Amino acid sequence: MVAFGKKLKERQIQEWQGYYINYKLMKKKVRQYTQQIQVGSQDRGHVLKDFSRMLDNQIEKIVLFLLEQQGHLASRIAKLGEQQEALQRQQDISKISELREAYREVGRDLLKLLYFVELNAVGLRKILKKFDKRLRHRFTDYYVKTRANHPYSQLQQVFKHVGIGAVVGAISRNLADLEDCQGSYLSIYDQPALPLQDPTIESIKAAVDRLTHSTNFLHFLAQHALILHEELPTPVEEQVDDGRYHFMSLLLNLANTFLYMVNTYIIVPTADDYALSLGAAATVCGVVIGAMAVAQVFSSVYFSAWSNKSYFRPLVFSSIVLFLGNIMYAMAYDLNSISILLMGRLLCGFGSARAVNRRYISDCVPIKIRMQASAGFVSASALGMACGPALAGLFQCHFKVFNITFNQETLPGWAMAVGWLFYLIWLWISFKEPSREKEPSHKPEESNEESLQTDALENGLQQPLLLSLEEKDEDESGDQEFDGSDEASEESHQPATSIASAYRLLTPSVKVQLLIYFMLKYAMEILLSESSVITTYYFRWSTTKVAIFLAFLGLTVLPVNIIVGSYISNMFEDRQILLASEVMVCIGIILSFHLIIPYSVAQYVSSGLIMFVSAEVLEGVNLSLLSRVMSSRLSRGTYNGGLLSTEAGTIARVIADGTITLAGYLGESRLLNITLLPSLAICISSIIATIYTYNTLY
């Protein structure tokens, strides 16, 4: 990849060149420190003191220049304000237009200043990360916390952006006043819900959002989608996004996500009964449920490739295939054919367009609302997961129409076929295919990469420069940090062209996080897919009770993410939450075993809830970290980071469903413990890998 030092130099504003962080010098010093400590010529305490002083000087240089430029902007705004005051009496339209353009020019200069701060912020966190890795010391935590909490902190100027906020407010208010020629007495402060829709102001707000990007529920939730982008976009990119964006098309993508998740889980409460109705064992439900995941392993790849050329045609194909697959699933009852049933579920899996849904948000949604769109993607998935079993619980009837049976086993298929038919009609009428012009400079924003870590300090200050130490570093590749090589290789910045090339871009920490993702999806699939068989065997639950239990689990997703995203992630580091969640999943699995005492509803429900909720927390934090540590080359193309995570999770589901069916041959009395053993083994392995990786790297 292109070294960050070279990238920084290329993007510098020439007249401000002397005020940027001296990344090259600091990287050289880090190399010297490493050599000095290795040979014993310098003690660690002296190195930490010297490096701290160097950082203080660099930050002071940046902040003083920032304040100076803010002063210049404030002076220009003050002079424009005097001109505006004089125009209030004259109402000269031509001069008002000139004044409005002058304010926009100040706004564009402010935008340059924001990019200046952003580049320096990225440079600062990268050099801190490099220092931590090379010297095996948690210096970043110490440095940021001590400097940010000090009353004379230079970092406070960067963190809080008080001056920048005042300049943005002044430009916004005055532009709004100039837009209003009707003599209204209201200002932007009287109508905060109706912000000024000016392109310059929107660009400034987007840049400020990226710079301050604090952890909250919306950002945390959006990271579940694992929609990878690149950092430091330009205003040109935002205009490109705006030109391709169509709200109804985004809504259709979210609707596709919702319906697909409903389609996945609507059969879970009745799959065992359906298998028995067709003369198979109840545990064949694992194969029935997992058939969809098997097909999704392949469909994710071709849908991801297809989305390079079109979004509309893959969605149409997906809807037709899912419509036909659900009809086959429903007709299998009257045809008395388990083969037709499985073929219907396979066909449904071949219609999985989640790769297209992710790609549309990444490529076509404007930066300023991409976080909300990503959160919408996750929310639609969670809602679908809850609605599927709930709907199945409502289909408690039995009747025939023209010799076609409608009962609790077939109605899920018929209901989803009707749903996909209506969706197809809506899609055909309302979807707008985005333009496909060549955009050489188009690099979607890394909404997670450049987001600045937010470990909350005692005074509630958010820390934009303190990113997790697991984050990707574009001037490093894999283990280059550990083999003594300082300069990043000048390898291509093109996207990966195959699964193999994508795999080679994965660092050890990324592989561990994909293992964690595999583990949690495996454990969750075991819990959900065998729930009907287990509860029927031990507790004689009806389909309605199973549906209520599964719907309840699905409804915990959003509340859990609210708690984690809004509170827990501000109190603990992501890696601490990650490890604690893995341990809780392990505890949930252990508590689920049927050992000596009689198996009770309380034990099953409580252990299942612990396992599921912990897995949800783990998924959120894991994907949040994963979105940061993945190579930026995996943010584009067919074989992107989203595809890799989807494949890891889908393969886990396939293996879990297969395990249920195979274990069923040993008898339903042994099913629970046998299926939990692999979950426990994989969970323990992931905990060991997590501890080993972070102890080794950090």
Side-chain angles (χ1 to χ4, degrees):
M1 297 181 185
V2 179
F4 175 76
K6 182 178 179 182
K7 187 177 179 181
L8 176 64
K9 187 174 181 180
E10 290 172 351
R11 295 197 179 188
Q12 287 180 359
I13 299 170
Q14 292 306 311
E15 57 267 30
W16 296 353
Q17 200 166 23
Y19 301 100
Y20 285 89
I21 184 172
N22 195 334
Y23 184 80
K24 184 176 181 180
L25 172 65
M26 299 189 77
K27 192 165 73 168
K28 183 178 179 181
K29 290 292 290 182
V30 170
R31 183 167 64 249
Q32 290 176 356
Y33 292 146
T34 306
Q35 294 170 348
Q36 289 169 356
I37 288 179
Q38 285 175 348
V39 300
S41 62
Q42 201 69 264
D43 66 274
R44 189 177 292 271
H46 177 82
V47 166
L48 296 178
K49 182 178 179 180
D50 189 54
F51 190 63
S52 296
R53 184 169 54 247
M54 180 182 293
L55 278 173
D56 290 340
N57 292 336
Q58 291 289 319
I59 293 171
E60 183 176 271
K61 173 183 68 174
I62 295 165
V63 169
L64 292 178
F65 178 74
L66 174 63
L67 294 174
E68 179 186 352
Q69 292 301 311
Q70 288 177 4
H72 292 328
L73 294 175
S75 298
R76 290 168 62 185
I77 292 173
K79 291 178 182 178
L80 292 174
E82 294 172 2
Q83 298 176 31
Q84 185 173 346
E85 190 67 29
L87 280 176
Q88 295 294 329
R89 296 184 292 271
Q90 299 176 8
Q91 290 295 319
D92 187 328
I93 300 300
S94 62
K95 289 186 178 180
I96 288 176
S97 297
E98 291 177 6
L99 190 58
R100 188 185 299 123
E101 188 55 38
Y103 274 117
R104 288 189 180 123
E105 185 61 36
V106 175
R108 285 188 282 270
D109 287 343
L110 175 60
L111 197 56
K112 288 165 58 179
L113 190 60
L114 287 168
Y115 285 131
F116 166 82
V117 177
E118 191 168 11
L119 273 173
N120 281 294
V122 174
L124 176 60
R125 83 171 156 72
K126 285 182 181 290
I127 201 65
L128 284 168
K129 177 184 174 183
K130 185 180 287 289
F131 185 91
D132 283 354
K133 280 191 174 183
R134 285 298 183 84
L135 278 78
R136 302 291 194 275
H137 187 79
R138 295 298 301 274
F139 175 76
T140 300
D141 287 350
Y142 154 77
Y143 183 81
V144 176
K145 289 182 180 179
T146 55
R147 267 54 178 181
N149 283 325
H150 197 278
Y152 304 133
S153 169
Q154 299 282 5
L155 282 178
Q156 295 259 8
Q157 299 295 326
V158 180
F159 288 151
K160 293 193 174 181
H161 313 305
V162 176
I164 289 175
V167 175
V168 173
I171 296 172
S172 301
R173 183 184 66 81
N174 287 295
L175 276 174
D177 289 346
L178 290 172
E179 289 286 344
D180 183 12
C181 300
Q182 306 302 319
S184 171
Y185 293 99
L186 297 177
S187 72
I188 60 171
Y189 303 114
D190 300 309
Q191 297 174 301
L194 299 173
L196 175 65
Q197 299 298 319
D198 185 274
T200 304
I201 298 301
E202 291 296 328
S203 296
I204 292 171
K205 287 179 179 177
V208 172
D209 286 344
R210 288 196 307 273
L211 202 53
T212 55
H213 205 39
S214 61
T215 297
N216 58 33
F217 167 59
L218 183 64
H219 295 137
F220 182 84
L221 190 64
Q223 289 169 333
H224 284 52
L226 200 66
I227 297 170
L228 299 177
H229 315 289
E230 291 182 54
E231 64 179 346
L232 299 180
T234 65
V236 174
E237 296 160 15
E238 295 178 22
Q239 293 167 10
V240 169
D241 280 341
D242 284 329
R244 306 182 72 194
Y245 173 61
H246 182 235
F247 173 73
M248 189 56 70
S249 299
L250 172 62
L251 196 60
L252 281 159
N253 271 278
L254 297 181
N256 183 281
T257 299
F258 169 76
L259 282 174
Y260 186 79
M261 291 303 289
V262 172
N263 210 148
T264 301
Y265 290 99
I266 196 171
I267 72 157
V268 173
T270 57
D272 58 334
D273 291 336
Y274 207 162
L276 287 170
S277 299
L278 299 179
T283 51
V284 173
C285 68
V287 173
V288 175
I289 296 169
M292 202 167 173
V294 171
Q296 191 179 342
V297 171
F298 304 99
S299 67
S300 296
V301 178
Y302 68 72
F303 271 115
S304 183
W306 201 350
S307 65
N308 290 326
K309 299 180 180 179
S310 173
Y311 300 100
F312 176 67
R313 288 192 289 273
L315 291 176
V316 170
F317 177 78
S318 166
S319 305
I320 294 172
V321 168
L322 281 157
F323 171 74
L324 296 175
N326 280 290
I327 288 180
M328 290 179 67
Y329 179 85
M331 290 298 296
Y333 187 90
D334 291 308
L335 296 173
N336 195 30
S337 172
I338 191 73
S339 300
I340 298 295
L341 182 74
L342 293 174
M343 287 173 62
R345 287 294 285 178
L346 280 170
L347 206 56
C348 288
F350 282 121
S352 171
R354 288 174 66 81
V356 179
N357 305 145
R358 278 195 180 100
R359 191 71 178 274
Y360 184 88
I361 294 173
S362 174
D363 291 354
C364 303
V365 175
I367 290 168
K368 58 180 177 287
I369 64 167
R370 193 175 295 160
M371 189 64 68
Q372 291 92 323
S374 300
F377 176 86
V378 177
S379 300
S381 299
L383 189 60
M385 182 180 179
C387 286
L391 285 173
L394 298 176
F395 297 146
Q396 302 302 303
C397 56
H398 189 288
F399 60 93
K400 284 192 174 186
V401 177
F402 300 114
N403 292 323
I404 297 176
T405 304
F406 294 87
N407 58 21
Q408 66 174 17
E409 286 92 19
T410 63
L411 276 171
W414 291 119
M416 292 313 305
V418 171
W420 285 112
L421 180 61
F422 278 108
Y423 175 80
L424 180 60
I425 295 170
W426 181 23
L427 179 73
W428 196 272
I429 295 171
S430 303
F431 192 87
K432 180 182 177 183
E433 182 75 79
S435 58
R436 290 273 174 177
E437 299 92 88
K438 289 186 178 181
E439 299 159 296
S441 63
H442 180 65
K443 292 181 181 179
E445 177 202 17
E446 167 54 37
S447 60
N448 299 313
E449 152 64 17
E450 87 298 56
S451 68
L452 302 171
Q453 164 95 11
T454 56
D455 289 334
L457 302 180
E458 288 77 6
N459 63 355
L461 174 66
Q462 300 299 323
Q463 303 177 21
L465 300 185
L466 178 56
L467 279 168
S468 296
L469 293 178
E470 298 85 10
E471 287 184 305
K472 71 186 177 200
D473 198 359
E474 289 193 359
D475 64 329
E476 301 163 320
S477 177
D479 290 331
Q480 284 181 339
E481 285 290 345
F482 307 105
D483 62 14
S485 172
D486 274 307
E487 296 299 330
S489 61
E490 296 292 330
E491 63 179 279
S492 169
H493 204 60
Q494 296 300 312
T497 56
S498 66
I499 288 288
S501 62
Y503 183 80
R504 285 195 293 270
L505 293 173
L506 303 180
T507 61
S509 61
V510 174
K511 292 175 182 176
V512 169
Q513 284 169 254
L514 285 176
L515 171 63
I516 294 170
Y517 192 62
F518 178 93
M519 177 273 292
L520 68 91
K521 285 297 182 184
Y522 182 94
M524 290 171 70
E525 189 72 9
I526 288 290
L527 172 66
L528 298 175
S529 295
E530 72 178 12
S531 59
S532 183
V533 179
I534 295 298
T535 55
T536 300
Y537 177 78
Y538 286 105
F539 318 126
R540 303 301 175 190
W541 277 9
S542 65
T543 299
T544 302
K545 287 185 178 180
V546 177
I548 292 172
F549 172 65
L550 294 177
F552 174 72
L553 290 180
L555 289 173
T556 62
V557 174
L558 290 180
V560 166
N561 282 314
I562 291 174
I563 294 170
V564 176
S566 299
Y567 303 105
I568 297 178
S569 62
N570 287 326
M571 294 187 287
F572 302 98
E573 292 183 11
D574 282 353
R575 285 180 290 110
Q576 292 174 323
I577 303 172
L578 185 82
L579 187 57
S581 301
E582 286 183 87
V583 172
M584 289 304 298
V585 170
C586 189
I587 291 172
I589 293 171
I590 292 172
L591 292 176
S592 297
F593 278 93
H594 179 206
L595 298 175
I596 301 173
I597 60 173
Y599 206 56
S600 65
V601 173
Q603 180 184 352
Y604 177 76
V605 172
S606 59
S607 60
L609 192 60
I610 291 171
M611 187 197 309
F612 188 84
V613 170
S614 301
E616 278 300 322
V617 174
L618 180 59
E619 181 175 8
V621 177
N622 187 59
L623 289 183
S624 173
L625 290 172
L626 194 58
S627 66
R628 300 174 193 167
V629 300
M630 273 199 179
S631 164
S632 61
R633 290 178 64 189
L634 294 174
S635 66
R636 308 177 310 282
T638 300
Y639 303 97
N640 52 63
L643 175 65
L644 292 180
S645 65
T646 299
E647 293 291 82
T650 304
I651 291 171
R653 289 170 52 207
V654 170
I655 296 175
D657 291 323
T659 302
I660 293 171
T661 299
L662 292 175
Y665 287 106
L666 299 177
E668 292 185 15
S669 61
R670 300 179 180 179
L671 177 65
L672 179 65
N673 288 347
I674 291 174
T675 53
L676 287 175
L677 280 173
S679 298
L680 182 62
I682 299 171
C683 187
I684 293 173
S685 299
S686 72
I687 292 172
I688 294 172
T690 301
I691 295 172
Y692 174 78
T693 300
Y694 290 125
N695 284 345
T696 301
L697 294 180
Y698 310 114

